[in-house]
Amino acid sequence: QAKASGRNTLRRFDPVMQATVNRRVRTEAEVRRALEHMEFEPYYQPQVDLTGRLAGAEALVRWQHPHRGIVPPMEFIPLAEETGLIFGLGHFMLERVCRQVAAWTSVAGHPQWCVAVNVSARQFHHPDFVQEVFSLIDETGAGAHQLQLELTESSLLVDMDDTISKMKALKSRGVSFSLDDFGTGYSSLYYLKHLPLDQIKIDQRFVRGVLDDANDAAIVRAIIALARSLGLNVIAEGVEDRRVQSFLANEGCPMFQGYLYSRPVPRDEFERFFLNGELLNGSGSGG
Ligand code: C2E
Ligand code: MG
Ligand code: MG
Ligand code: MG
C-alpha cells in the first residue's frame, strides 16, 4: 500500500508505522507507570548440580500487568534499554534480589550458591554502576558472594577497558560474573581470554539441539572442554530433557538450568525448594 502511494510516502505517515510508533509510546508510558506502581517482580529459576541439588538461581524480571497478566521481559526490556528506563528497572531488580538474598541468609545462613541477576549493557556502563551495587550490598546486608551478575556480549562490546575495571572492582568485594548466551556472539573467545569471568552459560539454542544435531553436540562439547581447561565454571541453560542432561553430564558439565527442573517461579514457590533444602530431581515443579 505504501508502494502504491508512491512519492506521497515521503510526506505522509505510513499508518502501519504510525501504529508501531503509537504502541511504543504507549508501552514506554506504561513501563514508566509500572515502575512507579512496583508492578515488576523477580521470579527465580533454580540451577542444579549433578545430584539435582540446588546450586544457584537466576532472577528473571516479570511484569504483573493489571490487565494483561504476566508480560515476559522480551516485550519490554529492549524498549527499556532504548529509553533509559532500564536504569530504574535494573536498580529495582538488583535491590529486590539483594534484599531477598539478605532475608534468605538471615534464615538459613550463607548458602553455598548465588543468585544471578541479568545486567543490561547501558546499566553496566553507567558511570555509577559499581557504586550502585556496593551501596545496595551495604544497605541490604546481602553477601556479595551471593550475588552474581550475568553479562552478555553486547554489554562487553561497548568498552572493554571499562568492562574489565568494573568487573575487577566488583570482584574485589566477592561479586561473581557469568557470561550469558555464550557462543552466540561474534568474539566469544576473545572475551574468554581478556575478562575476569567466573562462569560461562551455554546458550539454550545449542543445548536444545545436542541430541539431534551433530554440530550443536560438537559445539557444546567444545564449550564445556574450553571452560574446564580455562578453570571456569560452566552451566547449560534451556535443559528440558533428561537425555540432554545426561549428554551434558557425560561431557563434564556440572550445572544445569531449565524447565526440566523448574520454570522461573515466584519467590514463595522458590522458597519451598530452598528453605526446605528440597532435592530437585527433575520431576518438574510447575510454574
Ligand atoms: P536469559 O538471561 O538468557 O534468560 C533465560 C531465559 O530462558 C528466560 O526467559 C528463562 O525463563 C528461559 N528458560 C529457562 N529455561 C528454559 C527452558 O528449559 N526452555 C526454554 N524454552 N526457556 C527457558 P525470560 O525470563 O523470558 O527472559 C528472557 C530474557 O530477558 C533473558 O534471557 C534476559 O536476557 C532478559 N531479562 C530477564 N530478566 C531481566 C532483567 O532483570 N534485566 C535484564 N537486563 N534483562 C532481563
Ligand atoms: Mg540470563
Ligand atoms: Mg541466557
Ligand atoms: Mg538472553
Side-chain angles (χ1 to χ4, degrees):
Q1 198 184 337
K3 226 178 191 174
S5 56
R7 293 165 131 194
N8 281 341
T9 53
L10 291 176
R11 274 176 268 136
R12 284 175 46 199
F13 272 121
D14 174 344
V16 174
M17 204 159 98
Q18 183 64 54
T20 306
V21 170
N22 289 347
R23 192 167 55 242
R24 286 179 51 88
V25 169
R26 220 166 34 235
T27 310
E28 183 182 343
E30 279 228 61
V31 172
R32 207 177 291 280
R33 183 194 51 75
L35 264 176
E36 282 160 19
H37 290 77
M38 308 265 277
E39 288 170 13
F40 296 103
E41 179 188 358
Y43 271 35
Y44 297 90
Q45 186 176 31
Q47 302 171 336
V48 306
D49 68 14
L50 288 162
T51 69
R53 211 175 275 278
L54 193 66
E58 178 174 11
L60 294 152
V61 67
R62 292 293 180 266
W63 179 3
Q64 187 69 60
H65 192 281
H67 309 300
R68 292 164 64 196
I70 290 180
V71 183
M74 287 334 280
E75 287 183 32
F76 57 90
I77 289 283
L79 180 110
E81 285 170 346
E82 283 167 41
T83 55
L85 287 167
I86 196 68
F87 297 122
L89 184 55
H91 182 88
F92 175 82
M93 284 295 286
L94 278 169
E95 178 172 3
R96 282 290 295 270
V97 168
C98 283
R99 286 199 192 290
Q100 192 58 68
V101 162
W104 283 334
T105 303
S106 73
V107 174
H110 281 279
Q112 295 301 302
W113 47 270
C114 41
V115 180
V117 180
N118 293 283
V119 176
S120 285
R122 274 187 85 178
Q123 187 188 0
F124 186 70
H125 288 288
H126 190 286
D128 297 335
F129 182 74
V130 172
Q131 194 47 54
E132 180 187 347
V133 175
F134 286 164
S135 301
L136 283 173
I137 288 170
D138 293 337
E139 284 163 23
T140 61
H145 288 92
Q146 264 79 62
L147 184 64
Q148 183 169 74
L149 301 180
E150 290 197 2
L151 304 176
T152 55
E153 278 189 37
S154 60
S155 14
L156 310 173
L157 276 170
V158 185
D159 182 341
M160 201 65 172
D161 292 335
D162 186 53
T163 301
I164 292 171
S165 71
K166 282 181 158 150
M167 288 176 76
K168 283 186 174 161
L170 287 158
K171 281 172 71 82
S172 74
R173 288 278 301 265
V175 175
S176 59
F177 284 90
S178 183
L179 185 53
D180 206 352
D181 304 337
F182 184 81
T184 55
Y186 295 107
S187 356
S188 305
L189 298 179
Y190 178 80
Y191 294 119
L192 286 193
K193 176 176 156 77
H194 290 284
L195 297 178
L197 289 161
D198 300 280
Q199 174 175 288
I200 59 183
K201 225 173 168 176
I202 311 172
D203 193 85
Q204 43 186 298
R205 278 162 281 190
F206 300 120
V207 171
R208 215 170 283 140
V210 294
L211 299 177
D212 310 315
D213 185 318
N215 291 337
D216 284 346
I219 289 167
V220 167
R221 191 177 288 130
I223 293 174
I224 295 168
L226 185 61
R228 289 169 61 101
S229 57
L230 290 168
L232 298 173
N233 188 37
V234 57
I235 178 168
E237 69 179 354
V239 179
E240 296 182 356
D241 185 314
R242 201 181 281 284
R243 291 166 306 153
V244 169
Q245 182 196 299
S246 300
F247 172 93
L248 295 162
N250 277 333
E251 297 301 332
C253 183
M255 264 172 84
F256 318 94
Q257 178 181 345
Y259 293 172
L260 176 62
Y261 319 99
S262 172
R263 288 173 181 265
V265 292
R267 173 194 55 86
D268 55 344
E269 207 171 312
F270 182 78
E271 282 177 354
R272 268 179 259 142
F273 297 115
F274 166 57
L275 291 177
N276 302 338
E278 201 173 315
L279 288 181
L280 291 159
N281 54 20
S283 59
S285 76

